Amino acid sequence: MFNYNYVTSQQLAGFDKYKYNAVDTNPLSVYVMQHLWNRIVKVVPLWIAPNLLTFTGFLLILKNYLLLSFYDWNYTASDPDSQHVPGWVWSVSGLTTFSAYALDSIDGKQARRTMSSSPLGELFDHGLDSWASSLFSLSLFSVFGVRAESGVSAYTLYYVLCVILLTFIISHWEKYNTGVLFLPWGYDISQVTLTVVYLVTAVIGVEAWHKPFLFGYFFTDILIAMAIGCSAVLSVPQTLYNIHLAHRREALLRTSLYEGLLPLLSPGLLFTLLTTWVLTSPSEILVHNPRIFLWMTGVAFSNVTCRLIICQMTNTRTEAFHWLLLPLAGISGGVATGILVQSEFLCLVAYSILVTVAHVHYGVCVGKQLSKHLNIYIFSLGKRHQE
């Protein structure tokens, strides 16, 4: 069941030649957080595998998301007339968020301490990050909820999630073209902000965020502005500038504009189809089922992104069209034309299950395939026996 070979022989050969090349220029990371992580990693026993730290951090994020989903399924628990999420849940959210942030930051340091760095470790890390980026956002949405008073609707949550996910993928698109991963500035800022918001909510309550915060603006307005600002002012201009520099130095890995833009085709089509579904839905599927729709969006995005990450790590050509987009196109077209009006919710549930199962299967199979190829275990520092 989990022995399907998603990684091609050409990509396996690319992994054999791969060398990690990343640049971190974020002042918060370089001058503050890195010093903290260097101290924390010394406490970690040398027998613990780096991937175990990475996976534990992801499980903490997933646990936090599921916990908030239990208490706030439709993002309405923050309403004055609703039963609020218990205060202890926000404390757990703050603790798990910072713990996951720490584990994600020290896994690479642990790999260097134990001399166990491998392409599988980086793929494992960035692949889980592509999924965690949506889980972080979907968990934070419970703090503010869907509230007309503060101008936050289900559509607002969806568009903010799209901006965050596009910001994530653009850094890997940049590496696909330049061979260098420039770590985005927004990551450390967002993790610290998330932790602070959760802990403040645990002490004061969700009511604190439902009042004008600064110059008549709600705190949600500020966070949305930060998300869009980090993308429009920091990430996108920096990415385009780095690609421009690589072009001037004749260091671009892709020989044509089409090849350079190819990785953006599937993500662009994914968000186009999802947005078409949202805007043409006669039953307002996003409004009445935000938790399911946003979960599906995050998982589908992660699967598309993981395939890009493999291609940029192995310097191979990415696919032009992801097969998971085919049923999505059928559903989106059926909703827009009114054919699937009566079965729209069933289509949403079925497609959500499909992308989740497909993504888990993809991740397990790729992990096993690379583990066997590189002669290492995923969660242990021991070597595999040669077959």
Side-chain angles (χ1 to χ4, degrees):
M1 180 177 179
F2 291 103
N3 290 319
Y4 187 83
N5 292 329
Y6 285 102
V7 184
T8 66
S9 57
Q10 183 184 7
Q11 290 172 335
L12 290 176
F15 276 119
D16 291 333
K17 303 175 184 177
Y18 178 75
K19 291 184 179 180
Y20 182 62
N21 190 4
V23 176
D24 187 1
T25 59
N26 181 6
L28 176 60
S29 173
V30 174
Y31 298 110
V32 180
M33 304 311 298
Q34 289 298 331
H35 297 287
L36 176 61
W37 308 141
N38 287 334
R39 294 191 177 189
I40 291 179
V41 74
K42 294 178 182 178
V43 182
V44 181
L46 290 173
W47 55 266
I48 293 182
N51 288 339
L52 188 58
L53 299 177
T54 307
F55 192 58
T56 302
F58 175 78
L59 290 180
L60 288 175
I61 300 167
L62 182 60
K63 175 185 176 182
N64 183 50
Y65 169 79
L66 294 176
L67 181 63
L68 287 170
S69 298
F70 176 79
Y71 284 102
D72 183 23
W73 178 251
N74 285 322
Y75 295 109
T76 57
S78 295
D79 290 345
D81 298 329
S82 300
Q83 183 176 357
H84 293 342
V85 174
W88 66 267
V89 173
W90 300 122
S91 298
V92 170
S93 296
L95 178 61
T96 55
T97 298
F98 188 80
S99 298
Y101 174 33
L103 292 170
D104 187 49
S105 300
I106 67 173
D107 54 3
K109 299 180 184 298
Q110 178 72 353
R112 289 185 286 274
R113 286 179 75 217
T114 56
M115 301 180 66
S116 58
S117 299
S118 71
L120 175 58
E122 181 182 343
L123 176 61
F124 196 73
D125 186 3
H126 293 164
L128 289 178
D129 284 345
S130 69
W131 195 349
S133 58
S134 65
L135 296 179
F136 278 128
S137 306
L138 301 186
S139 297
L140 180 65
F141 289 163
S142 287
V143 174
F144 312 106
V146 176
R147 289 177 53 84
E149 294 86 349
S150 56
V152 178
S153 65
Y155 297 99
T156 305
L157 302 185
Y158 169 72
Y159 294 133
V160 170
L161 178 62
C162 290
V163 170
I164 292 171
L165 297 182
L166 289 172
T167 302
F168 179 91
I169 200 173
I170 200 171
S171 62
H172 291 281
W173 169 66
E174 178 183 357
K175 187 181 180 184
Y176 181 83
N177 284 281
T178 65
V180 181
L181 178 63
F182 292 87
L183 301 177
W185 281 26
Y187 176 68
D188 293 274
I189 298 173
S190 66
Q191 295 305 297
V192 173
T193 302
L194 283 172
T195 302
V196 172
V197 168
Y198 284 136
L199 295 180
V200 169
T201 305
V203 175
I204 302 177
V206 294
E207 294 83 2
W209 311 114
H210 298 155
K211 301 175 183 178
F213 181 74
L214 184 66
F215 302 118
Y217 290 98
F218 291 90
F219 192 74
T220 49
D221 298 325
I222 298 175
L223 280 182
I224 292 173
M226 285 178 59
I228 297 175
C230 284
S231 177
V233 179
L234 293 178
S235 297
V236 174
Q238 185 181 34
T239 294
L240 295 178
Y241 179 70
N242 290 332
I243 291 178
H244 172 68
L245 287 181
H247 174 70
R248 290 184 57 185
R249 298 167 183 165
E250 298 183 350
L252 284 178
L253 301 178
R254 309 303 156 186
T255 57
S256 69
L257 180 63
Y258 172 75
E259 291 294 333
L261 295 176
L262 188 61
L264 299 180
L265 185 59
S266 282
L269 185 57
L270 170 67
F271 288 112
T272 299
L273 292 173
L274 289 173
T275 304
T276 300
W277 186 354
V278 166
L279 296 180
T280 61
S281 172
S283 64
E284 296 186 311
I285 194 72
L286 176 63
V287 174
H288 296 102
N289 303 278
R291 182 72 65 174
I292 302 176
F293 196 95
L294 296 176
W295 165 271
M296 175 267 293
T297 299
V299 178
F301 167 83
S302 180
N303 194 261
V304 170
T305 304
C306 283
R307 295 168 185 268
L308 168 59
I309 293 173
I310 288 179
C311 290
Q312 54 99 336
M313 289 183 66
T314 59
N315 196 24
T316 53
R317 190 175 188 265
T318 187
E319 61 186 358
F321 182 82
H322 188 359
W323 72 269
L324 279 176
L325 298 179
L326 187 59
L328 178 59
I331 295 173
S332 180
V335 171
T337 57
I339 298 176
L340 298 178
V341 173
Q342 301 299 325
S343 58
E344 184 179 7
F345 176 72
L346 292 178
C347 289
L348 172 62
V349 173
Y351 188 70
S352 298
I353 294 174
L354 171 65
V355 295
T356 302
V357 172
H359 190 43
V360 172
H361 185 268
Y362 180 80
V364 173
C365 289
V366 169
K368 289 185 63 178
Q369 189 179 359
L370 281 180
S371 173
K372 181 179 180 179
H373 177 76
L374 298 173
N375 192 36
I376 58 177
Y377 290 107
I378 299 178
F379 299 118
S380 170
L381 295 177
K383 293 288 185 179
R384 295 168 57 99
H385 294 293
Q386 293 283 0
E387 297 181 0

